[in-house]
């Protein structure tokens, strides 16, 4: 017979770990199920400079991994069970007892479930992208933009996120170049108008990044013209030695296993209200897997705290 938990948390990123901290401090029996390693995307971020109070010493910001390590220890300190290698493949959320099954055969039962499985940036999929992620390749301008101050920056994408982040990065980089695979930008007109304020932004149309290169940091990339097939090698300025590539071509929410049970929007994000409740009583969602305008550590932790508090009220009312 499966052990009964007050809260099963699916996903061990900042949202899930914050929820675990709150529920375990409330003396709720809590387990966190993580598919791979705790932390998710944040662990590849070199410095966390925009999370309040996240400093190690004088002028020294922690890496994403260091911040996650602290969160893990906090959750454990108050009694949360943290289990990795638990890939959730099936859920039964409808009854009073929620059931979560993992690929390895483990089954967990609980009174509530908090889904914080996150969303992953859509990747280009070219050689070098994965190897140089966090080493010049980034998916978050506010996380990593300051690392490329006064350097050249390339932004891949042409939608709202790409255009808005390019404008943000133009305040930091010496020059920002948008690489768009179409013959026009697809962002809203008002977002595109903002680009006119900057004389250090230009756009390369009808082009794809086909390879990213570098020894430890991004030093070069190859782009291909989609109309002519011509390939161009772009190398870092000799004095700089490196440049940044920021990729904004969408996110993919990790919601597949939950879609049959819970309503999602057109993009696959699980729909919640402001207290993180879903359409099913006792089931909550936190972090990047729900619709939101800002996907950052601070908004994920906020969601996690709210979801935990709502789950606590539910458990207390149904004891």
């Amino acid at each position: 017979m499966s052990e009964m938990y007050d809260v099963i948390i699916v996903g061990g990123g900042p949202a899930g770990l914050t929820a675990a901290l709150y529920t375990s401090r409330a003396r709720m029996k809590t387990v966190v199920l993580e598919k791979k390693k705790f932390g998710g995307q944040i662990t590849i971020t070199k410095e966390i400079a925009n999370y309040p109070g996240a400093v190690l010493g004088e002028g020294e910001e922690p890496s994403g991994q260091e911040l996650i390590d602290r969160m893990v220890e906090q959750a454990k300190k108050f009694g949360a069970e943290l289990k990795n290698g638990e890939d959730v493949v099936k859920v039964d959320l409808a009854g009073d007892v929620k059931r979560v099954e993992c690929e390895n055969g483990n089954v967990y039962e609980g009174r509530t479930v908090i889904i914080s499985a996150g969303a992953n940036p859509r990747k280009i999929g070219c050689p070098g992208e994965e190897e140089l992620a966090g080493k010049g390749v980034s998916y978050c301008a506010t996380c990593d933009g300051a690392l490329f101050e006064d350097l050249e920056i390339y932004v891949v994408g042409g939608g709202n996120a790409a255009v808005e982040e390019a404008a943000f990065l133009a305040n930091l980089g010496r020059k920002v170049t948008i690489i768009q695979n179409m013959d026009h930008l697809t962002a809203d007109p008002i977002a595109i108008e903002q680009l006119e304020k900057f004389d250090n932004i230009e756009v390369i149309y009808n082009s794809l990044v086909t390879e990213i290169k570098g020894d430890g940091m991004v030093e070069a990339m190859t782009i291909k013209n989609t109309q002519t097939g011509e390939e161009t090698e772009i190398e870092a300025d000799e004095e700089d030695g490196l440049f940044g590539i920021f990729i904004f071509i969408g996110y993919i929410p990790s919601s597949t296993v939950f879609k049959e049970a819970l309503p999602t929007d057109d993009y696959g994000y699980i729909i919640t209200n402001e207290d993180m409740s879903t359409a099913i009583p006792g089931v909550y969602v936190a972090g990047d897997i729900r619709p939101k305008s800002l996907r950052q550590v601070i908004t994920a932790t906020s969601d996690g705290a709210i979801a935990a508090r709502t789950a606590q009220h539910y458990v207390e009312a149904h004891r």
Side-chain angles (χ1 to χ4, degrees), residues 52-274:
V55 291
L56 297 175
E58 186 65 34
E60 185 181 359
E61 288 83 16
S63 67
Q65 186 62 61
E66 287 168 330
L67 186 60
I68 286 297
D69 289 345
R70 293 189 197 178
M71 291 183 179
V72 165
E73 290 308 311
Q74 273 188 303
K76 286 181 176 178
K77 176 182 176 181
F78 291 101
E81 297 178 34
L82 274 60
K83 300 177 181 288
N84 58 7
E86 298 287 359
D87 185 6
V88 174
V89 294
K90 186 177 180 181
V91 294
D92 182 356
L93 306 175
D96 291 336
V97 175
K98 320 299 181 186
R99 183 180 171 90
V100 176
E101 299 181 24
C102 298
E103 188 177 41
N104 58 16
N106 290 340
V107 177
Y108 297 86
E109 293 186 338
R111 296 177 175 85
T112 64
V113 172
I114 297 175
I115 300 167
S116 55
N120 296 308
R122 193 179 298 278
K123 307 293 178 64
I124 297 172
C126 69
E129 178 182 13
E130 185 175 345
E131 293 81 357
L132 292 167
K135 301 172 184 176
V137 174
S138 176
Y139 306 89
C140 177
T142 51
C143 303
D144 299 326
L147 300 174
F148 300 93
E149 189 170 2
D150 297 325
L151 298 174
E152 289 192 72
I153 297 172
Y154 293 84
V155 172
V156 180
N160 282 339
V163 168
E164 290 167 4
E165 299 292 18
F168 171 81
L169 291 165
N171 292 300
L172 300 168
R174 183 172 70 245
K175 179 183 177 183
V176 174
T177 302
I178 299 173
I179 300 173
Q180 164 68 326
N181 66 344
M182 301 173 70
D183 63 2
H184 64 284
L185 297 174
T186 57
D188 295 335
I190 192 167
I192 296 173
E193 288 172 11
Q194 298 302 308
L195 297 182
E196 298 174 3
K197 298 179 180 179
F198 300 92
D199 57 12
N200 63 335
I201 296 180
E202 54 181 67
V203 184
I204 299 175
Y205 293 103
N206 299 312
S207 295
L208 297 169
V209 177
T210 57
E211 186 174 5
I212 301 171
K213 307 171 186 177
D215 182 12
M217 289 293 290
V218 171
E219 298 169 349
M221 69 176 165
T222 303
I223 63 172
K224 180 179 180 179
N225 187 290
T226 57
Q227 295 184 327
T228 66
E230 180 184 359
E231 291 191 336
T232 303
E233 182 90 356
I234 297 175
E235 296 183 348
D237 181 273
E238 190 173 343
E239 291 186 9
D240 296 339
L242 73 154
F243 58 81
I245 302 176
F246 288 78
I247 300 168
F248 303 107
I249 53 177
Y251 281 83
I252 303 173
S254 304
S255 60
T256 303
V257 72
F258 310 105
K259 279 186 174 181
E260 288 188 12
L262 294 165
T264 60
D265 67 10
D266 293 341
Y267 301 98
Y269 294 100
I270 301 174
I271 297 169
T272 73
N273 62 14
E274 289 187 0

